[in-house]
Amino acid sequence: MRRDRIGPAVTAALPLLSGALWAGFPPPDDGRPGYARQVVGEALGSTAALLFAAALVLATRARWLEGLFGGLDRVYRAHRRAGQCGFALLAGHVAAVPWTGSSPGGTPSGLLAGAGFLVLVLLCAIPTLRYGAWRRSHRLVGVFFVVSLAHALLVDSLVDTAPGPFLLQWAAYGAGIAAYAYTLLVARFVRPRRSYLVRAVRRLDPATVEVVLAPRLRRRLSFRPGQFVFVTLHQRGLREPHPFTVSSAPSEDVLRLTIRSAGRFTSRVHGELEPGRRATVEGGYGMLDHTRGRSRQVWVAGGIGITPFLSWLRSGPGDRSVDLFHAVSRPEDALFRDEIEGHAGEHLRVHHVVTSASGRLTAERIAAVVGPLDGVDVFLCGPEPMTASLAAGFRRLGVPATAIHRELATFR
Protein backbone atom coordinates (compact mmCIF):
# COMPACT_ATOMS: atom_id res chain seq x y z
CA MET A 1 0.00 0.00 0.00
CA ARG A 2 1.22 3.47 -0.85
CA ARG A 3 2.21 5.49 2.21
CA ASP A 4 -0.30 8.25 1.44
CA ARG A 5 -3.13 5.69 1.50
CA ILE A 6 -2.34 4.45 5.01
CA GLY A 7 -4.05 7.36 6.78
CA PRO A 8 -7.41 7.11 4.98
CA ALA A 9 -7.36 3.32 5.32
CA VAL A 10 -6.72 3.44 9.06
CA THR A 11 -9.39 6.10 9.60
CA ALA A 12 -11.95 4.06 7.66
CA ALA A 13 -10.97 0.90 9.54
CA LEU A 14 -11.53 2.36 13.03
CA PRO A 15 -15.35 1.96 13.14
CA LEU A 16 -15.00 -1.49 11.56
CA LEU A 17 -12.54 -2.49 14.27
CA SER A 18 -14.87 -1.24 16.98
CA GLY A 19 -17.82 -3.09 15.46
CA ALA A 20 -15.80 -6.30 15.16
CA LEU A 21 -14.73 -6.15 18.80
CA TRP A 22 -18.30 -5.57 19.98
CA ALA A 23 -19.59 -8.40 17.78
CA GLY A 24 -16.79 -10.83 18.63
CA PHE A 25 -16.39 -10.06 22.32
CA PRO A 26 -19.76 -8.79 23.62
CA PRO A 27 -20.26 -8.15 27.33
CA PRO A 28 -22.02 -10.93 29.26
CA ASP A 29 -25.76 -10.55 29.81
CA ASP A 30 -26.17 -9.32 33.39
CA GLY A 31 -29.94 -9.72 33.32
CA ARG A 32 -30.75 -6.03 33.15
CA PRO A 33 -33.88 -4.94 31.25
CA GLY A 34 -33.11 -3.81 27.72
CA TYR A 35 -29.75 -5.64 27.58
CA ALA A 36 -29.71 -5.81 23.75
CA ARG A 37 -30.52 -2.10 23.39
CA GLN A 38 -27.83 -1.29 25.93
CA VAL A 39 -25.21 -3.22 23.96
CA VAL A 40 -26.18 -1.55 20.68
CA GLY A 41 -26.29 1.90 22.29
CA GLU A 42 -22.91 1.49 23.97
CA ALA A 43 -21.35 0.13 20.77
CA LEU A 44 -22.55 3.19 18.89
CA GLY A 45 -21.39 5.52 21.66
CA SER A 46 -17.91 4.05 22.02
CA THR A 47 -17.44 4.05 18.23
CA ALA A 48 -18.51 7.71 18.17
CA ALA A 49 -15.90 8.45 20.84
CA LEU A 50 -13.30 6.63 18.73
CA LEU A 51 -14.10 8.79 15.69
CA PHE A 52 -14.12 12.02 17.71
CA ALA A 53 -10.70 11.03 19.07
CA ALA A 54 -9.48 10.46 15.50
CA ALA A 55 -10.80 13.91 14.53
CA LEU A 56 -8.90 15.50 17.43
CA VAL A 57 -5.69 13.73 16.44
CA LEU A 58 -6.09 14.84 12.82
CA ALA A 59 -6.66 18.44 13.96
CA THR A 60 -3.21 18.62 15.57
CA ARG A 61 -1.66 19.52 12.19
CA ALA A 62 1.24 17.22 13.09
CA ARG A 63 3.75 17.03 10.24
CA TRP A 64 3.95 13.22 10.20
CA LEU A 65 0.26 13.01 9.32
CA GLU A 66 0.77 14.65 5.92
CA GLY A 67 2.76 11.75 4.54
CA LEU A 68 0.13 9.25 5.64
CA PHE A 69 -2.70 11.12 3.91
CA GLY A 70 -0.98 12.79 0.97
CA GLY A 71 -1.18 16.35 2.26
CA LEU A 72 -2.72 18.47 4.98
CA ASP A 73 -5.75 19.17 2.77
CA ARG A 74 -6.58 15.46 2.86
CA VAL A 75 -5.88 15.29 6.59
CA TYR A 76 -8.54 17.94 7.15
CA ARG A 77 -10.97 16.18 4.84
CA ALA A 78 -10.56 13.01 6.93
CA HIS A 79 -10.94 15.13 10.09
CA ARG A 80 -14.25 16.52 8.84
CA ARG A 81 -15.58 13.12 7.84
CA ALA A 82 -14.57 11.54 11.14
CA GLY A 83 -16.42 14.28 13.03
CA GLN A 84 -19.52 13.95 10.87
CA CYS A 85 -19.66 10.15 11.22
CA GLY A 86 -18.96 10.45 14.95
CA PHE A 87 -21.94 12.74 15.43
CA ALA A 88 -24.20 10.40 13.40
CA LEU A 89 -23.20 7.50 15.66
CA LEU A 90 -23.66 9.68 18.74
CA ALA A 91 -27.22 10.41 17.62
CA GLY A 92 -27.73 6.65 17.26
CA HIS A 93 -26.33 6.11 20.75
CA VAL A 94 -28.78 8.63 22.24
CA ALA A 95 -31.69 6.97 20.43
CA ALA A 96 -30.72 3.36 21.24
CA VAL A 97 -29.48 3.32 24.83
CA PRO A 98 -32.17 3.00 27.52
CA TRP A 99 -32.39 6.22 29.54
CA THR A 100 -33.06 5.28 33.17
CA GLY A 101 -31.94 8.39 35.02
CA SER A 102 -30.31 6.12 37.60
CA SER A 103 -26.92 7.83 37.31
CA PRO A 104 -27.05 11.30 38.90
CA GLY A 105 -23.80 12.41 37.28
CA GLY A 106 -23.75 10.27 34.17
CA THR A 107 -27.06 11.36 32.67
CA PRO A 108 -26.48 15.15 32.90
CA SER A 109 -22.91 14.84 31.58
CA GLY A 110 -24.16 12.74 28.66
CA LEU A 111 -26.86 15.25 27.86
CA LEU A 112 -24.37 18.11 28.05
CA ALA A 113 -21.88 16.37 25.73
CA GLY A 114 -24.61 15.46 23.24
CA ALA A 115 -26.08 18.96 23.26
CA GLY A 116 -22.63 20.48 22.82
CA PHE A 117 -21.83 18.37 19.78
CA LEU A 118 -25.27 19.14 18.33
CA VAL A 119 -24.71 22.90 18.69
CA LEU A 120 -21.33 22.63 16.95
CA VAL A 121 -22.88 20.67 14.07
CA LEU A 122 -25.63 23.25 13.69
CA LEU A 123 -23.09 26.07 13.67
CA CYS A 124 -21.17 24.36 10.87
CA ALA A 125 -24.42 24.24 8.87
CA ILE A 126 -24.80 28.05 8.93
CA PRO A 127 -23.48 29.27 5.55
CA THR A 128 -23.03 32.87 6.74
CA LEU A 129 -21.08 31.98 9.89
CA ARG A 130 -17.81 33.92 10.00
CA TYR A 131 -14.64 31.84 9.89
CA GLY A 132 -13.38 33.32 13.16
CA ALA A 133 -16.58 32.39 15.02
CA TRP A 134 -16.49 28.90 13.51
CA ARG A 135 -12.84 28.46 14.47
CA ARG A 136 -13.37 29.58 18.07
CA SER A 137 -16.44 27.39 18.50
CA HIS A 138 -14.61 24.44 16.93
CA ARG A 139 -12.12 24.47 19.79
CA LEU A 140 -14.94 23.34 22.08
CA VAL A 141 -14.95 19.89 20.45
CA GLY A 142 -12.25 18.86 22.90
CA VAL A 143 -14.22 20.24 25.85
CA PHE A 144 -17.31 18.22 24.98
CA PHE A 145 -15.11 15.19 24.33
CA VAL A 146 -13.82 15.47 27.91
CA VAL A 147 -17.41 15.83 29.15
CA SER A 148 -18.27 12.62 27.31
CA LEU A 149 -15.42 10.97 29.19
CA ALA A 150 -17.04 12.01 32.46
CA HIS A 151 -20.28 10.51 31.19
CA ALA A 152 -18.54 7.21 30.38
CA LEU A 153 -16.99 7.09 33.86
CA LEU A 154 -20.18 7.86 35.75
CA VAL A 155 -22.73 5.61 34.05
CA ASP A 156 -23.16 1.89 34.71
CA SER A 157 -21.72 0.58 31.44
CA LEU A 158 -21.62 -2.91 30.01
CA VAL A 159 -18.39 -2.05 28.19
CA ASP A 160 -16.53 -2.44 31.49
CA THR A 161 -17.08 -6.21 31.23
CA ALA A 162 -16.02 -6.52 27.56
CA PRO A 163 -12.18 -6.39 27.47
CA GLY A 164 -11.78 -5.71 23.73
CA PRO A 165 -14.21 -2.79 23.40
CA PHE A 166 -13.14 -1.53 26.84
CA LEU A 167 -9.45 -1.27 25.87
CA LEU A 168 -10.25 0.36 22.52
CA GLN A 169 -12.60 2.91 24.11
CA TRP A 170 -10.10 4.00 26.72
CA ALA A 171 -7.24 4.08 24.23
CA ALA A 172 -9.43 6.43 22.16
CA TYR A 173 -10.09 8.70 25.13
CA GLY A 174 -6.40 8.78 25.98
CA ALA A 175 -5.37 9.63 22.42
CA GLY A 176 -8.13 12.22 21.97
CA ILE A 177 -7.39 14.08 25.21
CA ALA A 178 -3.64 13.99 24.54
CA ALA A 179 -4.22 15.41 21.05
CA TYR A 180 -6.50 18.14 22.39
CA ALA A 181 -3.95 19.10 25.07
CA TYR A 182 -1.20 19.16 22.44
CA THR A 183 -3.22 21.45 20.15
CA LEU A 184 -4.21 23.75 23.00
CA LEU A 185 -0.93 23.97 24.94
CA VAL A 186 2.03 22.71 22.90
CA ALA A 187 1.43 23.10 19.15
CA ARG A 188 2.09 26.84 19.04
CA PHE A 189 5.63 26.25 20.33
CA VAL A 190 6.61 23.42 17.98
CA ARG A 191 4.91 24.26 14.69
CA PRO A 192 7.29 25.84 12.14
CA ARG A 193 6.56 29.56 12.14
CA ARG A 194 8.36 32.79 11.44
CA SER A 195 7.70 36.48 11.94
CA TYR A 196 7.32 38.68 8.84
CA LEU A 197 6.47 42.27 7.94
CA VAL A 198 4.06 43.26 5.19
CA ARG A 199 6.40 45.00 2.77
CA ALA A 200 3.89 45.70 -0.01
CA VAL A 201 0.22 45.29 -0.83
CA ARG A 202 -0.33 45.24 -4.59
CA ARG A 203 -3.95 45.29 -5.69
CA LEU A 204 -3.82 43.55 -9.06
CA ASP A 205 -7.50 43.96 -9.89
CA PRO A 206 -10.75 44.68 -8.00
CA ALA A 207 -10.71 41.17 -6.50
CA THR A 208 -7.05 40.07 -6.32
CA VAL A 209 -4.17 41.27 -4.20
CA GLU A 210 -0.53 40.27 -3.97
CA VAL A 211 0.86 40.52 -0.44
CA VAL A 212 4.64 40.71 -0.19
CA LEU A 213 6.09 39.64 3.17
CA ALA A 214 9.66 40.30 4.28
CA PRO A 215 11.18 38.15 7.06
CA ARG A 216 12.05 39.80 10.34
CA LEU A 217 15.49 39.04 11.76
CA ARG A 218 16.38 37.52 8.35
CA ARG A 219 14.79 34.21 9.36
CA ARG A 220 12.88 32.92 6.36
CA LEU A 221 10.36 30.13 6.50
CA SER A 222 11.36 26.91 4.80
CA PHE A 223 8.88 25.60 2.22
CA ARG A 224 8.79 23.69 -1.04
CA PRO A 225 7.43 25.24 -4.25
CA GLY A 226 3.69 24.72 -4.44
CA GLN A 227 3.09 24.52 -0.68
CA PHE A 228 0.72 26.69 1.34
CA VAL A 229 1.15 28.46 4.67
CA PHE A 230 -1.10 29.69 7.47
CA VAL A 231 -0.85 33.46 7.81
CA THR A 232 -1.93 35.60 10.76
CA LEU A 233 -1.97 39.31 9.91
CA HIS A 234 -1.54 41.51 12.97
CA GLN A 235 -4.06 44.14 12.00
CA ARG A 236 -7.45 44.70 13.53
CA GLY A 237 -10.05 42.52 11.84
CA LEU A 238 -7.41 40.36 10.12
CA ARG A 239 -5.91 38.39 13.01
CA GLU A 240 -7.44 35.02 12.13
CA PRO A 241 -4.94 32.50 10.70
CA HIS A 242 -5.84 31.59 7.12
CA PRO A 243 -4.11 29.26 4.63
CA PHE A 244 -2.75 30.69 1.39
CA THR A 245 -0.60 29.10 -1.30
CA VAL A 246 2.83 30.70 -1.69
CA SER A 247 3.38 32.05 -5.19
CA SER A 248 7.06 32.95 -4.77
CA ALA A 249 10.09 30.67 -5.00
CA PRO A 250 11.86 29.47 -1.84
CA SER A 251 15.04 31.21 -2.98
CA GLU A 252 13.44 34.67 -2.99
CA ASP A 253 14.13 37.08 -0.15
CA VAL A 254 10.40 37.73 0.24
CA LEU A 255 7.30 35.60 0.55
CA ARG A 256 4.58 36.38 -2.00
CA LEU A 257 0.91 35.47 -1.53
CA THR A 258 -1.60 35.99 -4.32
CA ILE A 259 -5.06 36.22 -2.73
CA ARG A 260 -8.42 36.47 -4.45
CA SER A 261 -11.47 37.80 -2.60
CA ALA A 262 -13.74 34.86 -1.89
CA GLY A 263 -15.39 35.88 1.36
CA ARG A 264 -15.44 38.42 4.14
CA PHE A 265 -11.86 37.90 5.32
CA THR A 266 -10.14 37.87 1.92
CA SER A 267 -12.19 40.88 0.85
CA ARG A 268 -10.92 42.75 3.91
CA VAL A 269 -7.35 41.74 3.10
CA HIS A 270 -7.84 43.21 -0.38
CA GLY A 271 -9.41 46.43 0.86
CA GLU A 272 -7.81 47.12 4.25
CA LEU A 273 -4.38 45.49 4.67
CA GLU A 274 -1.64 48.08 5.15
CA PRO A 275 2.13 47.78 4.56
CA GLY A 276 4.23 47.71 7.71
CA ARG A 277 1.96 45.33 9.64
CA ARG A 278 3.43 42.27 11.32
CA ALA A 279 2.50 38.80 10.14
CA THR A 280 3.08 35.36 11.57
CA VAL A 281 3.56 32.66 8.95
CA GLU A 282 3.36 28.93 9.68
CA GLY A 283 4.23 26.12 7.29
CA GLY A 284 4.85 25.03 4.70
CA TYR A 285 2.15 22.44 4.20
CA GLY A 286 0.88 20.43 1.27
CA MET A 287 2.31 17.76 -1.02
CA LEU A 288 1.50 19.08 -4.49
CA ASP A 289 5.03 18.57 -5.84
CA HIS A 290 5.75 18.25 -9.55
CA THR A 291 9.34 17.10 -8.92
CA ARG A 292 7.91 13.76 -7.83
CA GLY A 293 6.16 13.33 -11.16
CA ARG A 294 7.41 11.77 -14.36
CA SER A 295 9.18 13.56 -17.19
CA ARG A 296 5.97 14.37 -19.11
CA GLN A 297 3.40 16.46 -17.25
CA VAL A 298 0.17 18.40 -17.66
CA TRP A 299 -0.54 21.29 -15.28
CA VAL A 300 -4.08 22.65 -15.12
CA ALA A 301 -4.97 25.78 -13.15
CA GLY A 302 -8.38 27.32 -12.67
CA GLY A 303 -8.32 31.04 -11.88
CA ILE A 304 -6.34 31.77 -8.72
CA GLY A 305 -5.30 28.10 -8.74
CA ILE A 306 -2.34 29.29 -10.81
CA THR A 307 -0.47 30.19 -7.58
CA PRO A 308 1.37 26.88 -6.95
CA PHE A 309 2.35 26.75 -10.61
CA LEU A 310 3.75 30.29 -10.33
CA SER A 311 5.92 29.09 -7.46
CA TRP A 312 7.12 26.17 -9.58
CA LEU A 313 7.89 28.43 -12.55
CA ARG A 314 9.65 31.01 -10.39
CA SER A 315 11.80 28.28 -8.82
CA GLY A 316 13.67 27.83 -12.07
CA PRO A 317 13.42 25.80 -15.25
CA GLY A 318 13.35 22.05 -15.08
CA ASP A 319 13.94 19.35 -17.62
CA ARG A 320 10.38 17.99 -17.61
CA SER A 321 8.13 18.41 -20.63
CA VAL A 322 5.12 20.42 -19.41
CA ASP A 323 1.86 21.63 -20.92
CA LEU A 324 0.34 24.33 -18.68
CA PHE A 325 -3.35 25.14 -19.10
CA HIS A 326 -4.69 28.23 -17.30
CA ALA A 327 -8.49 28.51 -17.45
CA VAL A 328 -10.10 31.86 -16.60
CA SER A 329 -13.61 33.25 -17.05
CA ARG A 330 -12.52 36.47 -18.78
CA PRO A 331 -9.29 37.53 -20.51
CA GLU A 332 -8.58 40.14 -17.83
CA ASP A 333 -8.55 37.41 -15.14
CA ALA A 334 -5.26 36.01 -16.53
CA LEU A 335 -3.24 38.30 -14.26
CA PHE A 336 0.18 36.73 -14.76
CA ARG A 337 -0.15 35.97 -18.46
CA ASP A 338 2.95 37.88 -19.59
CA GLU A 339 5.14 36.38 -16.86
CA ILE A 340 3.89 32.85 -17.53
CA GLU A 341 4.43 33.18 -21.27
CA GLY A 342 7.92 34.46 -20.50
CA HIS A 343 8.74 31.03 -19.11
CA ALA A 344 7.49 29.24 -22.24
CA GLY A 345 10.10 27.45 -24.25
CA GLU A 346 11.37 24.03 -25.22
CA HIS A 347 10.15 22.36 -22.03
CA LEU A 348 7.04 24.47 -21.30
CA ARG A 349 4.06 25.07 -23.54
CA VAL A 350 1.43 27.50 -22.25
CA HIS A 351 -2.26 27.34 -23.15
CA HIS A 352 -4.64 30.07 -21.98
CA VAL A 353 -8.33 29.15 -21.98
CA VAL A 354 -11.07 31.77 -21.65
CA THR A 355 -14.12 29.71 -20.69
CA SER A 356 -16.66 32.46 -21.40
CA ALA A 357 -15.57 32.37 -25.04
CA SER A 358 -14.57 28.75 -25.65
CA GLY A 359 -16.52 26.81 -23.05
CA ARG A 360 -15.55 24.62 -20.11
CA LEU A 361 -12.09 23.06 -20.10
CA THR A 362 -12.30 19.25 -20.16
CA ALA A 363 -9.85 16.38 -20.09
CA GLU A 364 -10.84 15.54 -23.65
CA ARG A 365 -9.97 19.05 -24.85
CA ILE A 366 -6.62 18.84 -23.09
CA ALA A 367 -5.87 15.42 -24.59
CA ALA A 368 -6.68 16.77 -28.05
CA VAL A 369 -3.92 19.37 -27.57
CA VAL A 370 -1.20 17.35 -25.82
CA GLY A 371 -1.72 14.02 -27.57
CA PRO A 372 -1.56 10.52 -26.02
CA LEU A 373 -1.66 10.55 -22.23
CA ASP A 374 0.49 7.47 -21.68
CA GLY A 375 3.15 8.15 -19.07
CA VAL A 376 1.74 11.60 -18.18
CA ASP A 377 1.42 12.99 -14.64
CA VAL A 378 -1.42 15.49 -14.24
CA PHE A 379 -1.41 18.29 -11.63
CA LEU A 380 -4.64 20.16 -10.90
CA CYS A 381 -5.35 23.22 -8.78
CA GLY A 382 -8.48 25.35 -8.78
CA PRO A 383 -12.13 25.23 -7.74
CA GLU A 384 -12.93 21.74 -6.50
CA PRO A 385 -15.86 21.11 -8.91
CA MET A 386 -13.48 21.85 -11.77
CA THR A 387 -10.58 19.71 -10.52
CA ALA A 388 -12.90 16.83 -9.56
CA SER A 389 -14.48 16.86 -13.01
CA LEU A 390 -11.08 16.97 -14.72
CA ALA A 391 -9.72 14.18 -12.53
CA ALA A 392 -12.69 11.97 -13.43
CA GLY A 393 -12.23 12.85 -17.11
CA PHE A 394 -8.54 11.93 -17.08
CA ARG A 395 -9.35 8.61 -15.40
CA ARG A 396 -11.87 7.87 -18.17
CA LEU A 397 -9.11 8.52 -20.69
CA GLY A 398 -6.88 5.94 -19.02
CA VAL A 399 -4.70 8.07 -16.74
CA PRO A 400 -4.27 6.08 -13.50
CA ALA A 401 -5.43 7.71 -10.26
CA THR A 402 -1.86 7.55 -8.93
CA ALA A 403 -0.78 9.89 -11.75
CA ILE A 404 -3.43 12.54 -11.01
CA HIS A 405 -2.46 15.01 -8.31
CA ARG A 406 -4.76 17.75 -7.04
CA GLU A 407 -5.00 20.02 -4.06
CA LEU A 408 -8.26 20.10 -2.09
CA ALA A 409 -8.99 23.71 -1.21
CA THR A 410 -12.39 23.27 0.44
CA PHE A 411 -10.96 22.92 3.96
CA ARG A 412 -9.63 26.47 3.83
Side-chain angles (χ1 to χ4, degrees):
M1 179 185 290
R2 284 172 44 186
R3 186 166 181 261
D4 61 358
R5 297 290 187 266
I6 294 175
V10 169
T11 306
L14 288 177
L16 300 178
L17 172 62
S18 179
L21 289 175
W22 276 97
F25 306 96
D29 188 345
D30 60 359
R32 72 175 68 190
Y35 165 79
R37 282 186 60 193
Q38 185 75 26
V39 171
V40 172
E42 288 193 29
L44 293 171
S46 65
T47 307
L50 180 62
L51 289 173
F52 284 132
L56 288 168
V57 171
L58 295 174
T60 60
R61 218 182 287 166
R63 303 304 292 270
W64 57 270
L65 287 169
E66 278 205 286
L68 299 180
F69 284 83
L72 188 64
D73 48 353
R74 286 164 174 79
V75 173
Y76 272 102
R77 180 173 65 176
H79 159 82
R80 183 175 64 249
R81 288 178 175 174
Q84 291 169 342
C85 292
F87 179 77
L89 292 174
L90 178 61
H93 165 74
V94 173
V97 74
W99 288 82
T100 63
S102 60
S103 173
T107 301
S109 58
L111 289 171
L112 178 60
F117 284 121
L118 175 60
V119 169
L120 294 180
V121 169
L122 293 176
L123 285 175
C124 291
I126 300 174
T128 56
L129 183 70
R130 290 178 55 188
Y131 173 79
W134 173 87
R135 182 172 172 272
R136 287 188 292 273
S137 66
H138 209 60
R139 292 175 180 171
L140 295 174
V141 170
V143 173
F144 294 120
F145 185 75
V146 173
V147 174
S148 76
L149 169 61
H151 168 69
L153 289 170
L154 292 170
V155 295
D156 181 18
S157 300
L158 286 172
V159 70
D160 297 340
T161 60
F166 174 83
L167 291 175
L168 183 61
Q169 174 176 293
W170 293 109
Y173 273 116
I177 291 173
Y180 182 57
Y182 170 85
T183 301
L184 207 61
L185 304 174
V186 180
R188 71 184 69 180
F189 301 108
V190 298
R191 288 174 178 165
R193 57 176 59 189
R194 293 288 186 269
S195 180
Y196 280 76
L197 285 176
V198 178
R199 174 179 289 181
V201 180
R202 299 168 182 161
R203 293 172 175 88
L204 306 179
D205 69 12
T208 311
V209 62
E210 182 180 66
V211 179
V212 181
L213 303 174
R216 302 179 69 196
L217 306 176
R218 298 183 179 178
R219 298 180 64 197
R220 293 187 297 175
L221 192 75
S222 176
F223 68 94
R224 296 191 307 273
Q227 287 192 307
F228 62 88
V229 294
F230 286 86
V231 181
T232 304
L233 299 166
H234 297 276
Q235 179 175 318
R236 185 176 180 180
L238 301 176
R239 297 180 186 274
E240 304 161 357
H242 279 253
F244 298 111
T245 300
V246 180
S247 55
S248 53
S251 59
E252 295 184 45
D253 292 333
V254 296
L255 198 69
R256 284 188 273 176
L257 310 172
T258 307
I259 303 168
R260 187 164 182 83
S261 301
R264 178 187 173 89
F265 179 85
T266 48
S267 296
R268 293 192 68 175
V269 170
H270 184 282
E272 301 176 16
L273 182 62
E274 303 168 350
R277 296 290 184 173
R278 286 195 309 111
T280 301
V281 184
E282 176 194 320
Y285 295 104
M287 299 186 69
L288 194 69
D289 186 354
H290 77 100
T291 63
R292 299 181 181 182
R294 289 170 289 184
S295 59
R296 187 160 169 253
Q297 299 183 358
V298 171
W299 302 353
V300 187
I304 199 63
I306 193 66
T307 48
F309 303 118
L310 282 174
S311 183
W312 292 353
L313 293 174
R314 290 166 174 172
S315 296
D319 57 359
R320 290 168 174 78
S321 176
V322 176
D323 281 274
L324 168 60
F325 291 80
H326 186 198
V328 294
S329 298
R330 305 168 302 167
E332 57 267 31
D333 293 332
L335 295 174
F336 298 94
R337 180 168 187 156
D338 291 343
E339 179 184 350
I340 292 170
E341 290 183 344
H343 290 281
E346 179 184 356
H347 296 291
L348 175 68
R349 291 161 296 282
V350 178
H351 314 275
H352 291 281
V353 180
V354 180
T355 58
S356 60
S358 61
R360 184 170 60 94
L361 183 63
T362 65
E364 289 77 13
R365 288 181 61 185
I366 292 172
V369 173
V370 304
L373 297 174
D374 298 337
V376 170
D377 269 76
V378 178
F379 295 85
L380 308 170
C381 188
E384 186 152 350
M386 170 190 168
T387 60
S389 175
L390 285 169
F394 281 115
R395 287 196 295 271
R396 287 194 302 271
L397 295 176
V399 180
T402 54
I404 301 173
H405 317 272
R406 67 187 182 108
E407 186 174 79
L408 306 175
T410 52
F411 83 94
R412 302 186 182 193

